[in-house]
mmCIF file of all heavy atoms in Angstrom:
data_model
loop_
_atom_site.group_PDB
_atom_site.id
_atom_site.type_symbol
_atom_site.label_atom_id
_atom_site.label_comp_id
_atom_site.label_asym_id
_atom_site.label_seq_id
_atom_site.Cartn_x
_atom_site.Cartn_y
_atom_site.Cartn_z
ATOM 1 N N ASP A 872 -11.511 9.669 8.861
ATOM 2 C CA ASP A 872 -10.881 8.380 9.170
ATOM 3 C C ASP A 872 -9.364 8.415 9.032
ATOM 4 O O ASP A 872 -8.659 7.679 9.699
ATOM 5 C CB ASP A 872 -11.441 7.299 8.247
ATOM 6 C CG ASP A 872 -12.792 6.821 8.760
ATOM 7 O OD1 ASP A 872 -12.996 6.866 9.991
ATOM 8 O OD2 ASP A 872 -13.650 6.441 7.938
ATOM 9 N N PHE A 878 -2.792 9.328 13.958
ATOM 10 C CA PHE A 878 -2.784 8.990 15.383
ATOM 11 C C PHE A 878 -1.820 7.832 15.633
ATOM 12 O O PHE A 878 -1.010 7.874 16.568
ATOM 13 C CB PHE A 878 -4.207 8.617 15.822
ATOM 14 C CG PHE A 878 -4.301 8.058 17.216
ATOM 15 C CD1 PHE A 878 -4.189 8.880 18.320
ATOM 16 C CD2 PHE A 878 -4.506 6.692 17.415
ATOM 17 C CE1 PHE A 878 -4.284 8.366 19.609
ATOM 18 C CE2 PHE A 878 -4.592 6.166 18.703
ATOM 19 C CZ PHE A 878 -4.479 7.007 19.796
ATOM 20 N N GLU A 879 -1.890 6.823 14.780
ATOM 21 C CA GLU A 879 -1.005 5.662 14.943
ATOM 22 C C GLU A 879 0.462 6.064 14.784
ATOM 23 O O GLU A 879 1.327 5.567 15.482
ATOM 24 C CB GLU A 879 -1.360 4.566 13.933
ATOM 25 C CG GLU A 879 -2.732 3.924 14.151
ATOM 26 C CD GLU A 879 -2.918 3.310 15.529
ATOM 27 O OE1 GLU A 879 -1.927 2.935 16.181
ATOM 28 O OE2 GLU A 879 -4.089 3.232 15.994
ATOM 29 N N LYS A 882 1.097 8.854 18.147
ATOM 30 C CA LYS A 882 0.671 8.753 19.548
ATOM 31 C C LYS A 882 1.865 8.527 20.473
ATOM 32 O O LYS A 882 1.926 9.090 21.560
ATOM 33 C CB LYS A 882 -0.400 7.672 19.722
ATOM 34 C CG LYS A 882 0.043 6.269 19.383
ATOM 35 C CD LYS A 882 -1.094 5.281 19.579
ATOM 36 C CE LYS A 882 -0.609 3.877 19.210
ATOM 37 N NZ LYS A 882 -1.675 2.899 19.215
ATOM 38 N N PHE A 886 3.031 11.053 23.321
ATOM 39 C CA PHE A 886 2.971 10.555 24.695
ATOM 40 C C PHE A 886 4.333 10.759 25.367
ATOM 41 O O PHE A 886 4.419 11.192 26.514
ATOM 42 C CB PHE A 886 2.571 9.069 24.684
ATOM 43 C CG PHE A 886 2.327 8.495 26.035
ATOM 44 C CD1 PHE A 886 1.084 8.631 26.647
ATOM 45 C CD2 PHE A 886 3.344 7.828 26.718
ATOM 46 C CE1 PHE A 886 0.865 8.098 27.912
ATOM 47 C CE2 PHE A 886 3.127 7.305 27.982
ATOM 48 C CZ PHE A 886 1.892 7.434 28.579
ATOM 49 N N TYR A 890 5.148 12.874 28.563
ATOM 50 C CA TYR A 890 5.714 12.148 29.700
ATOM 51 C C TYR A 890 7.002 12.830 30.172
ATOM 52 O O TYR A 890 7.254 12.943 31.359
ATOM 53 C CB TYR A 890 5.967 10.681 29.325
ATOM 54 C CG TYR A 890 6.217 9.821 30.532
ATOM 55 C CD1 TYR A 890 5.154 9.353 31.306
ATOM 56 C CD2 TYR A 890 7.516 9.516 30.944
ATOM 57 C CE1 TYR A 890 5.382 8.598 32.436
ATOM 58 C CE2 TYR A 890 7.759 8.752 32.076
ATOM 59 C CZ TYR A 890 6.681 8.293 32.820
ATOM 60 O OH TYR A 890 6.906 7.555 33.961
ATOM 61 N N GLU A 900 -2.014 10.612 28.620
ATOM 62 C CA GLU A 900 -3.022 10.074 27.696
ATOM 63 C C GLU A 900 -4.106 11.119 27.433
ATOM 64 O O GLU A 900 -4.536 11.310 26.299
ATOM 65 C CB GLU A 900 -3.639 8.793 28.277
ATOM 66 C CG GLU A 900 -2.669 7.626 28.209
ATOM 67 C CD GLU A 900 -3.318 6.297 28.562
ATOM 68 O OE1 GLU A 900 -4.530 6.273 28.832
ATOM 69 O OE2 GLU A 900 -2.592 5.273 28.576
ATOM 70 N N ASP A 901 -4.502 11.802 28.498
ATOM 71 C CA ASP A 901 -5.503 12.882 28.344
ATOM 72 C C ASP A 901 -4.992 13.942 27.379
ATOM 73 O O ASP A 901 -5.722 14.418 26.514
ATOM 74 C CB ASP A 901 -5.769 13.582 29.689
ATOM 75 C CG ASP A 901 -6.646 12.735 30.578
ATOM 76 O OD1 ASP A 901 -7.192 11.738 30.076
ATOM 77 O OD2 ASP A 901 -6.759 13.072 31.776
ATOM 78 N N GLN A 904 -4.887 12.798 23.757
ATOM 79 C CA GLN A 904 -6.271 12.813 23.252
ATOM 80 C C GLN A 904 -6.683 14.252 22.910
ATOM 81 O O GLN A 904 -7.281 14.521 21.875
ATOM 82 C CB GLN A 904 -7.170 12.237 24.367
ATOM 83 C CG GLN A 904 -8.644 12.430 24.147
ATOM 84 C CD GLN A 904 -9.239 11.268 23.359
ATOM 85 O OE1 GLN A 904 -8.524 10.401 22.885
ATOM 86 N NE2 GLN A 904 -10.547 11.284 23.204
ATOM 87 N N LEU A 911 -8.566 17.955 15.087
ATOM 88 C CA LEU A 911 -9.851 17.823 14.387
ATOM 89 C C LEU A 911 -10.620 19.144 14.384
ATOM 90 O O LEU A 911 -11.162 19.568 13.364
ATOM 91 C CB LEU A 911 -10.711 16.773 15.095
ATOM 92 C CG LEU A 911 -10.624 15.347 14.568
ATOM 93 C CD1 LEU A 911 -11.586 14.462 15.328
ATOM 94 C CD2 LEU A 911 -10.954 15.279 13.077
ATOM 95 N N GLU A 972 22.508 5.223 34.611
ATOM 96 C CA GLU A 972 22.499 6.628 34.192
ATOM 97 C C GLU A 972 21.141 7.155 33.720
ATOM 98 O O GLU A 972 20.752 8.270 34.033
ATOM 99 C CB GLU A 972 23.504 6.828 33.059
ATOM 100 C CG GLU A 972 24.912 6.639 33.501
ATOM 101 C CD GLU A 972 25.863 6.512 32.328
ATOM 102 O OE1 GLU A 972 25.392 6.590 31.164
ATOM 103 O OE2 GLU A 972 27.047 6.352 32.579
ATOM 104 N N LEU A 976 19.289 10.518 34.766
ATOM 105 C CA LEU A 976 19.029 11.564 33.784
ATOM 106 C C LEU A 976 17.560 11.997 33.847
ATOM 107 O O LEU A 976 17.227 13.178 33.802
ATOM 108 C CB LEU A 976 19.354 11.042 32.383
ATOM 109 C CG LEU A 976 19.233 12.066 31.275
ATOM 110 C CD1 LEU A 976 20.340 13.103 31.370
ATOM 111 C CD2 LEU A 976 19.275 11.392 29.910
ATOM 112 N N LYS A 995 14.218 16.411 21.201
ATOM 113 C CA LYS A 995 14.207 14.944 21.114
ATOM 114 C C LYS A 995 13.175 14.467 20.092
ATOM 115 O O LYS A 995 13.479 13.696 19.198
ATOM 116 C CB LYS A 995 13.897 14.382 22.498
ATOM 117 C CG LYS A 995 13.772 12.864 22.588
ATOM 118 C CD LYS A 995 13.500 12.496 24.049
ATOM 119 C CE LYS A 995 12.950 11.091 24.193
ATOM 120 N NZ LYS A 995 13.978 10.070 24.271
ATOM 121 N N LYS A 999 16.017 16.968 16.601
ATOM 122 C CA LYS A 999 16.981 18.081 16.582
ATOM 123 C C LYS A 999 16.825 18.994 15.358
ATOM 124 O O LYS A 999 17.797 19.584 14.899
ATOM 125 C CB LYS A 999 18.418 17.536 16.657
ATOM 126 C CG LYS A 999 18.712 16.820 17.960
ATOM 127 C CD LYS A 999 20.187 16.715 18.199
ATOM 128 C CE LYS A 999 20.692 15.327 17.861
ATOM 129 N NZ LYS A 999 22.122 15.176 18.107
ATOM 130 N N TYR A 1001 16.164 22.139 14.507
ATOM 131 C CA TYR A 1001 16.025 23.389 15.259
ATOM 132 C C TYR A 1001 15.177 24.430 14.537
ATOM 133 O O TYR A 1001 14.532 25.253 15.174
ATOM 134 C CB TYR A 1001 17.413 23.948 15.590
ATOM 135 C CG TYR A 1001 18.251 22.980 16.398
ATOM 136 C CD1 TYR A 1001 19.496 22.555 15.973
ATOM 137 C CD2 TYR A 1001 17.760 22.476 17.610
ATOM 138 C CE1 TYR A 1001 20.255 21.648 16.715
ATOM 139 C CE2 TYR A 1001 18.511 21.567 18.353
ATOM 140 C CZ TYR A 1001 19.747 21.159 17.899
ATOM 141 O OH TYR A 1001 20.474 20.268 18.635
ATOM 142 N N GLY A 1013 18.805 30.029 15.457
ATOM 143 C CA GLY A 1013 19.936 30.320 16.328
ATOM 144 C C GLY A 1013 19.506 30.417 17.788
ATOM 145 O O GLY A 1013 20.175 29.884 18.683
ATOM 146 N N LYS A 1016 18.950 27.035 19.238
ATOM 147 C CA LYS A 1016 20.217 26.362 19.575
ATOM 148 C C LYS A 1016 20.747 26.857 20.916
ATOM 149 O O LYS A 1016 21.237 26.079 21.732
ATOM 150 C CB LYS A 1016 21.250 26.622 18.475
ATOM 151 C CG LYS A 1016 21.002 25.804 17.222
ATOM 152 C CD LYS A 1016 22.114 26.087 16.239
ATOM 153 C CE LYS A 1016 21.837 25.490 14.885
ATOM 154 N NZ LYS A 1016 22.813 25.939 13.896
ATOM 155 N N VAL A 1017 20.647 28.182 21.110
ATOM 156 C CA VAL A 1017 21.122 28.745 22.389
ATOM 157 C C VAL A 1017 20.283 28.210 23.543
ATOM 158 O O VAL A 1017 20.811 27.852 24.605
ATOM 159 C CB VAL A 1017 21.104 30.290 22.343
ATOM 160 C CG1 VAL A 1017 21.441 30.866 23.705
ATOM 161 C CG2 VAL A 1017 22.079 30.804 21.300
ATOM 162 N N PHE A 1020 21.339 24.752 24.213
ATOM 163 C CA PHE A 1020 22.654 24.804 24.869
ATOM 164 C C PHE A 1020 22.494 25.075 26.367
ATOM 165 O O PHE A 1020 23.057 24.373 27.214
ATOM 166 C CB PHE A 1020 23.504 25.897 24.192
ATOM 167 C CG PHE A 1020 24.779 26.231 24.903
ATOM 168 C CD1 PHE A 1020 25.867 25.373 24.867
ATOM 169 C CD2 PHE A 1020 24.903 27.431 25.611
ATOM 170 C CE1 PHE A 1020 27.044 25.693 25.515
ATOM 171 C CE2 PHE A 1020 26.079 27.747 26.258
ATOM 172 C CZ PHE A 1020 27.155 26.882 26.219
ATOM 173 N N ARG A 1021 21.690 26.083 26.678
ATOM 174 C CA ARG A 1021 21.502 26.451 28.099
ATOM 175 C C ARG A 1021 20.808 25.327 28.865
ATOM 176 O O ARG A 1021 21.171 25.027 30.007
ATOM 177 C CB ARG A 1021 20.664 27.727 28.201
ATOM 178 C CG ARG A 1021 21.456 28.951 27.806
ATOM 179 C CD ARG A 1021 20.605 30.185 27.884
ATOM 180 N NE ARG A 1021 21.328 31.332 27.352
ATOM 181 C CZ ARG A 1021 20.748 32.458 26.991
ATOM 182 N NH1 ARG A 1021 19.439 32.595 27.086
ATOM 183 N NH2 ARG A 1021 21.460 33.464 26.527
ATOM 184 N N GLN A 1024 23.215 22.611 29.482
ATOM 185 C CA GLN A 1024 24.168 23.030 30.537
ATOM 186 C C GLN A 1024 23.543 22.837 31.906
ATOM 187 O O GLN A 1024 24.188 22.306 32.809
ATOM 188 C CB GLN A 1024 24.496 24.513 30.352
ATOM 189 C CG GLN A 1024 25.502 24.785 29.300
ATOM 190 C CD GLN A 1024 26.433 25.885 29.790
ATOM 191 O OE1 GLN A 1024 27.626 25.655 29.919
ATOM 192 N NE2 GLN A 1024 25.889 27.042 30.066
ATOM 193 N N LYS A 1027 23.198 19.241 32.753
ATOM 194 C CA LYS A 1027 24.495 18.681 33.142
ATOM 195 C C LYS A 1027 24.804 19.038 34.602
ATOM 196 O O LYS A 1027 25.231 18.191 35.384
ATOM 197 C CB LYS A 1027 25.583 19.252 32.217
ATOM 198 C CG LYS A 1027 26.905 18.544 32.334
ATOM 199 C CD LYS A 1027 27.925 19.157 31.397
ATOM 200 C CE LYS A 1027 28.503 20.424 32.015
ATOM 201 N NZ LYS A 1027 29.444 21.113 31.127
ATOM 202 N N LYS A 1031 25.193 16.424 37.617
ATOM 203 C CA LYS A 1031 26.436 16.307 38.412
ATOM 204 C C LYS A 1031 26.135 16.416 39.898
ATOM 205 O O LYS A 1031 26.714 15.732 40.719
ATOM 206 C CB LYS A 1031 27.415 17.418 37.985
ATOM 207 C CG LYS A 1031 27.961 17.161 36.594
ATOM 208 C CD LYS A 1031 29.448 17.423 36.550
ATOM 209 C CE LYS A 1031 30.061 16.760 35.335
ATOM 210 N NZ LYS A 1031 30.709 17.705 34.449
ATOM 211 N N TYR B 732 36.003 24.897 26.786
ATOM 212 C CA TYR B 732 34.661 24.555 27.284
ATOM 213 C C TYR B 732 34.585 23.059 27.565
ATOM 214 O O TYR B 732 34.084 22.635 28.606
ATOM 215 C CB TYR B 732 33.590 24.967 26.258
ATOM 216 C CG TYR B 732 32.190 24.667 26.767
ATOM 217 C CD1 TYR B 732 31.536 25.555 27.612
ATOM 218 C CD2 TYR B 732 31.550 23.473 26.444
ATOM 219 C CE1 TYR B 732 30.288 25.268 28.127
ATOM 220 C CE2 TYR B 732 30.297 23.178 26.953
ATOM 221 C CZ TYR B 732 29.666 24.081 27.791
ATOM 222 O OH TYR B 732 28.436 23.789 28.298
ATOM 223 N N GLU B 746 27.776 31.143 23.385
ATOM 224 C CA GLU B 746 26.342 31.268 23.058
ATOM 225 C C GLU B 746 26.146 32.089 21.787
ATOM 226 O O GLU B 746 25.357 31.738 20.925
ATOM 227 C CB GLU B 746 25.589 31.946 24.207
ATOM 228 C CG GLU B 746 25.287 31.000 25.343
ATOM 229 C CD GLU B 746 24.390 31.624 26.401
ATOM 230 O OE1 GLU B 746 23.956 32.782 26.220
ATOM 231 O OE2 GLU B 746 24.139 30.963 27.418
ATOM 232 N N ILE B 749 27.133 30.096 18.857
ATOM 233 C CA ILE B 749 26.129 29.055 18.550
ATOM 234 C C ILE B 749 24.963 29.705 17.801
ATOM 235 O O ILE B 749 24.464 29.182 16.809
ATOM 236 C CB ILE B 749 25.626 28.387 19.854
ATOM 237 C CG1 ILE B 749 26.722 27.484 20.431
ATOM 238 C CG2 ILE B 749 24.371 27.564 19.590
ATOM 239 C CD1 ILE B 749 26.402 26.918 21.807
ATOM 240 N N GLU B 750 24.591 30.877 18.279
ATOM 241 C CA GLU B 750 23.432 31.556 17.687
ATOM 242 C C GLU B 750 23.682 31.891 16.213
ATOM 243 O O GLU B 750 22.800 31.719 15.379
ATOM 244 C CB GLU B 750 23.093 32.828 18.465
ATOM 245 C CG GLU B 750 21.748 33.401 18.037
ATOM 246 C CD GLU B 750 21.199 34.433 18.998
ATOM 247 O OE1 GLU B 750 21.934 34.843 19.917
ATOM 248 O OE2 GLU B 750 20.033 34.820 18.813
ATOM 249 N N LEU B 756 26.336 22.603 18.215
ATOM 250 C CA LEU B 756 26.210 21.990 19.542
ATOM 251 C C LEU B 756 26.989 20.680 19.633
ATOM 252 O O LEU B 756 27.518 20.323 20.684
ATOM 253 C CB LEU B 756 24.724 21.731 19.851
ATOM 254 C CG LEU B 756 23.900 22.956 20.238
ATOM 255 C CD1 LEU B 756 22.427 22.618 20.269
ATOM 256 C CD2 LEU B 756 24.335 23.495 21.587
ATOM 257 N N GLU B 761 30.859 17.309 25.934
ATOM 258 C CA GLU B 761 30.094 16.882 27.116
ATOM 259 C C GLU B 761 28.596 17.057 26.904
ATOM 260 O O GLU B 761 27.797 16.209 27.295
ATOM 261 C CB GLU B 761 30.553 17.674 28.343
ATOM 262 C CG GLU B 761 31.404 16.821 29.268
ATOM 263 C CD GLU B 761 31.510 17.463 30.615
ATOM 264 O OE1 GLU B 761 32.416 18.302 30.778
ATOM 265 O OE2 GLU B 761 30.682 17.144 31.476
ATOM 266 N N LEU B 762 28.238 18.187 26.284
ATOM 267 C CA LEU B 762 26.822 18.441 26.036
ATOM 268 C C LEU B 762 26.282 17.463 25.006
ATOM 269 O O LEU B 762 25.134 17.047 25.079
ATOM 270 C CB LEU B 762 26.594 19.877 25.554
ATOM 271 C CG LEU B 762 26.814 20.982 26.573
ATOM 272 C CD1 LEU B 762 26.280 22.293 26.047
ATOM 273 C CD2 LEU B 762 26.139 20.655 27.897
ATOM 274 N N MET B 765 25.405 14.405 26.726
ATOM 275 C CA MET B 765 24.165 14.651 27.474
ATOM 276 C C MET B 765 22.964 14.590 26.531
ATOM 277 O O MET B 765 21.947 13.956 26.845
ATOM 278 C CB MET B 765 24.276 16.068 28.072
ATOM 279 C CG MET B 765 23.485 16.276 29.308
ATOM 280 S SD MET B 765 24.424 15.690 30.725
ATOM 281 C CE MET B 765 23.211 14.778 31.568
ATOM 282 N N GLU B 766 23.115 15.236 25.391
ATOM 283 C CA GLU B 766 22.019 15.297 24.433
ATOM 284 C C GLU B 766 21.692 13.906 23.895
ATOM 285 O O GLU B 766 20.531 13.534 23.767
ATOM 286 C CB GLU B 766 22.380 16.246 23.274
ATOM 287 C CG GLU B 766 21.154 16.678 22.475
ATOM 288 C CD GLU B 766 21.508 17.666 21.374
ATOM 289 O OE1 GLU B 766 22.673 17.710 20.958
ATOM 290 O OE2 GLU B 766 20.593 18.390 20.937
ATOM 291 N N GLN B 768 22.108 11.183 25.410
ATOM 292 C CA GLN B 768 21.406 10.425 26.458
ATOM 293 C C GLN B 768 19.925 10.809 26.500
ATOM 294 O O GLN B 768 19.065 9.966 26.681
ATOM 295 C CB GLN B 768 22.068 10.693 27.813
ATOM 296 C CG GLN B 768 23.314 9.845 28.003
ATOM 297 C CD GLN B 768 23.920 10.057 29.370
ATOM 298 O OE1 GLN B 768 24.057 11.199 29.805
ATOM 299 N NE2 GLN B 768 24.271 8.991 30.043
ATOM 300 N N VAL B 769 19.689 12.112 26.325
ATOM 301 C CA VAL B 769 18.290 12.568 26.316
ATOM 302 C C VAL B 769 17.562 11.903 25.145
ATOM 303 O O VAL B 769 16.429 11.451 25.275
ATOM 304 C CB VAL B 769 18.203 14.110 26.209
ATOM 305 C CG1 VAL B 769 16.767 14.560 25.994
ATOM 306 C CG2 VAL B 769 18.756 14.767 27.459
ATOM 307 N N MET B 770 18.249 11.842 24.014
ATOM 308 C CA MET B 770 17.627 11.239 22.836
ATOM 309 C C MET B 770 17.317 9.752 23.079
ATOM 310 O O MET B 770 16.347 9.218 22.574
ATOM 311 C CB MET B 770 18.550 11.361 21.611
ATOM 312 C CG MET B 770 18.816 12.779 21.128
ATOM 313 S SD MET B 770 17.371 13.701 20.624
ATOM 314 C CE MET B 770 17.174 13.119 18.969
ATOM 315 N N MET B 772 16.671 8.380 25.983
ATOM 316 C CA MET B 772 15.740 8.169 27.101
ATOM 317 C C MET B 772 14.449 7.538 26.598
ATOM 318 O O MET B 772 13.843 8.033 25.650
ATOM 319 C CB MET B 772 15.379 9.528 27.705
ATOM 320 C CG MET B 772 16.059 9.817 28.990
ATOM 321 S SD MET B 772 15.743 11.519 29.454
ATOM 322 C CE MET B 772 14.138 11.354 30.152
ATOM 323 N N PRO B 775 7.564 5.451 28.512
ATOM 324 C CA PRO B 775 6.616 4.333 28.519
ATOM 325 C C PRO B 775 5.687 4.401 27.316
ATOM 326 O O PRO B 775 5.508 5.473 26.724
ATOM 327 C CB PRO B 775 5.848 4.522 29.825
ATOM 328 C CG PRO B 775 6.116 5.914 30.245
ATOM 329 C CD PRO B 775 7.397 6.341 29.630
ATOM 330 N N GLY B 778 -1.106 3.169 26.939
ATOM 331 C CA GLY B 778 -1.929 1.960 27.053
ATOM 332 C C GLY B 778 -3.015 1.897 25.976
ATOM 333 O O GLY B 778 -3.235 2.868 25.250
ATOM 334 N N LEU B 781 -5.901 4.652 25.502
ATOM 335 C CA LEU B 781 -5.759 5.855 24.670
ATOM 336 C C LEU B 781 -6.370 5.614 23.294
ATOM 337 O O LEU B 781 -7.109 6.460 22.770
ATOM 338 C CB LEU B 781 -4.272 6.228 24.533
ATOM 339 C CG LEU B 781 -3.964 7.445 23.653
ATOM 340 C CD1 LEU B 781 -4.570 8.714 24.215
ATOM 341 C CD2 LEU B 781 -2.458 7.631 23.497
ATOM 342 N N ASP B 782 -6.083 4.420 22.735
ATOM 343 C CA ASP B 782 -6.641 4.071 21.419
ATOM 344 C C ASP B 782 -8.167 4.079 21.472
ATOM 345 O O ASP B 782 -8.823 4.669 20.612
ATOM 346 C CB ASP B 782 -6.168 2.675 20.984
ATOM 347 C CG ASP B 782 -4.682 2.661 20.685
ATOM 348 O OD1 ASP B 782 -4.033 3.674 21.019
ATOM 349 O OD2 ASP B 782 -4.187 1.668 20.138
ATOM 350 N N ARG B 784 -10.189 5.581 23.486
ATOM 351 C CA ARG B 784 -10.750 6.931 23.645
ATOM 352 C C ARG B 784 -10.643 7.722 22.351
ATOM 353 O O ARG B 784 -11.560 8.447 21.973
ATOM 354 C CB ARG B 784 -10.043 7.665 24.785
ATOM 355 C CG ARG B 784 -10.553 7.200 26.140
ATOM 356 C CD ARG B 784 -9.688 7.714 27.244
ATOM 357 N NE ARG B 784 -9.649 9.176 27.287
ATOM 358 C CZ ARG B 784 -8.758 9.859 27.979
ATOM 359 N NH1 ARG B 784 -7.834 9.233 28.669
ATOM 360 N NH2 ARG B 784 -8.780 11.172 27.977
ATOM 361 N N PHE B 785 -9.504 7.554 21.673
ATOM 362 C CA PHE B 785 -9.323 8.302 20.424
ATOM 363 C C PHE B 785 -10.361 7.888 19.382
ATOM 364 O O PHE B 785 -11.028 8.742 18.783
ATOM 365 C CB PHE B 785 -7.907 8.098 19.863
ATOM 366 C CG PHE B 785 -7.749 8.641 18.473
ATOM 367 C CD1 PHE B 785 -7.619 10.004 18.260
ATOM 368 C CD2 PHE B 785 -7.781 7.793 17.367
ATOM 369 C CE1 PHE B 785 -7.508 10.516 16.969
ATOM 370 C CE2 PHE B 785 -7.677 8.294 16.076
ATOM 371 C CZ PHE B 785 -7.542 9.655 15.885
ATOM 372 N N TYR B 786 -10.509 6.570 19.186
ATOM 373 C CA TYR B 786 -11.427 6.126 18.122
ATOM 374 C C TYR B 786 -12.888 6.428 18.482
ATOM 375 O O TYR B 786 -13.706 6.675 17.598
ATOM 376 C CB TYR B 786 -11.194 4.653 17.796
ATOM 377 C CG TYR B 786 -9.897 4.482 17.025
ATOM 378 C CD1 TYR B 786 -8.759 3.959 17.634
ATOM 379 C CD2 TYR B 786 -9.807 4.905 15.706
ATOM 380 C CE1 TYR B 786 -7.565 3.838 16.939
ATOM 381 C CE2 TYR B 786 -8.601 4.794 14.996
ATOM 382 C CZ TYR B 786 -7.489 4.264 15.622
ATOM 383 O OH TYR B 786 -6.310 4.163 14.935
ATOM 384 N N MET B 792 -17.123 12.517 16.375
ATOM 385 C CA MET B 792 -16.913 13.686 15.503
ATOM 386 C C MET B 792 -17.508 13.441 14.125
ATOM 387 O O MET B 792 -18.060 14.352 13.506
ATOM 388 C CB MET B 792 -15.417 13.988 15.359
ATOM 389 C CG MET B 792 -14.772 14.539 16.598
ATOM 390 S SD MET B 792 -15.359 16.183 17.046
ATOM 391 C CE MET B 792 -14.043 17.184 16.436
ATOM 392 N N LYS B 793 -17.356 12.226 13.636
ATOM 393 C CA LYS B 793 -17.890 11.906 12.303
ATOM 394 C C LYS B 793 -19.409 12.023 12.296
ATOM 395 O O LYS B 793 -20.004 12.507 11.341
ATOM 396 C CB LYS B 793 -17.467 10.485 11.895
ATOM 397 C CG LYS B 793 -16.154 10.491 11.118
ATOM 398 C CD LYS B 793 -15.531 9.145 11.027
ATOM 399 C CE LYS B 793 -16.309 8.185 10.139
ATOM 400 N NZ LYS B 793 -15.695 6.849 10.147
#
Side-chain angles (χ1 to χ4, degrees):
Chain A
D872 280 330
F878 172 75
E879 293 303 335
K882 63 180 179 187
F886 187 85
Y890 194 80
E900 287 189 2
D901 284 349
Q904 168 89 353
L911 267 183
E972 293 166 1
L976 185 70
K995 177 179 163 86
K999 296 199 258 181
Y1001 301 124
K1016 284 183 189 171
V1017 174
F1020 170 74
R1021 286 179 187 163
Q1024 280 220 119
K1027 192 180 80 183
K1031 290 224 162 120
Chain B
Y732 182 83
E746 281 187 3
I749 288 172
E750 191 165 9
L756 284 170
E761 254 196 273
L762 290 192
M765 207 84 226
E766 197 177 22
Q768 279 183 314
V769 172
M770 295 300 277
M772 256 172 81
L781 178 63
D782 292 11
R784 282 169 60 194
F785 170 77
Y786 287 105
M792 289 293 259
K793 269 165 69 183

